[in-house]
Amino acid sequence: MTVKREADKKKNAVYHGPRFDVYAEDEHGTIYDLEMQNQNHHDIEKRMAIYQGNLEKQALYAGQSFSDRRQTVVLFLCDHDVYNLNRVHYQLIPQLVGYPEILIDNGETNVIVNLKGDASKQAALNQEMLTYFNDGTVTGKFSAALDRAVREVKNDVKKGENYMTIEEYAARQSAYAREEERAEKEAQTIKGLVTLNLDKDQIIKFLIDNFNLNKQEALAAYERVMATA
């Protein structure tokens, strides 16, 4: 397997290009992107789509049949439970609308690992990985290999050359701050409408009309607030 740390795919000054934390290709031609995520900015699905889009550029050579497309895998390791379901991992898959039993194989695999999930229900290898990422304890050959890789990255003096620029960092943090402010405003509005005895459909319509959200976004905002109410 070929592994590259901090692989930079930002080739355009206008459109967003990701920096892969870990980029790898195995002997079967499968392409991997492994990311660490320590804050929940409520945008992980969109981020995964952007990373997949960049992996896909290398998944098929000119002149090849589409059936020869290489598999691309995006794996996010999160120290929080993105969906608050206490699962150790979540796999995001496309489905045919109206027929959830029909799964679409487009060559993409998107997985979110919840490092705070219940590892006791997982296979031994998963337990070892989760234990290592949570408290740094080495319990076997796999976590020992992870520990060596982490130490190598920490000692790599060239790693700093691939950090995002100050301008990129400031722009990203500003965008996250605006998003958090918007989400908080939506949450307070939903709570206020609930106290006024508006039902779910009325609240969702209000969000669509006043917050420039589509129905899916409004529904997600409503459910997120009600889940913590």
Side-chain angles (χ1 to χ4, degrees), residues 153-167:
V153 170
K154 288 182 177 179
N155 293 328
D156 187 352
V157 294
K158 295 182 179 180
K159 183 173 182 290
E161 297 175 0
N162 290 319
Y163 282 164
M164 69 179 67
T165 66
I166 293 175
E167 291 81 3

Side-chain angles (χ1 to χ4, degrees), residues 100-171:
E101 71 279 4
I102 299 179
L103 307 182
I104 309 301
D105 180 13
N106 58 2
E108 296 181 5
T109 299
N110 294 292
V111 177
I112 300 170
V113 176
N114 171 23
L115 296 176
K116 301 301 183 184
D118 185 359
S120 65
K121 299 179 180 179
Q122 299 301 305
L125 186 62
N126 287 350
Q127 292 182 32
E128 184 179 347
M129 180 185 71
L130 294 173
T131 298
Y132 177 78
F133 279 113
N134 275 302
D135 59 24
T137 302
V138 174
T139 57
K141 292 182 179 180
F142 179 71
S143 53
L146 280 175
D147 189 60
R148 286 194 298 271
V150 169
R151 291 177 185 276
E152 182 182 351
V153 170
K154 288 182 177 179
N155 293 328
D156 187 352
V157 294
K158 295 182 179 180
K159 183 173 182 290
E161 297 175 0
N162 290 319
Y163 282 164
M164 69 179 67
T165 66
I166 293 175
E167 291 81 3
E168 289 174 321
Y169 177 81

Side-chain angles (χ1 to χ4, degrees), residues 69-83:
R69 181 198 188 281
R70 299 161 69 186
Q71 295 289 318
T72 53
V73 180
V74 174
L75 178 66
F76 269 71
L77 302 180
C78 302
D79 67 353
H80 52 275
D81 191 344
V82 174
Y83 299 112

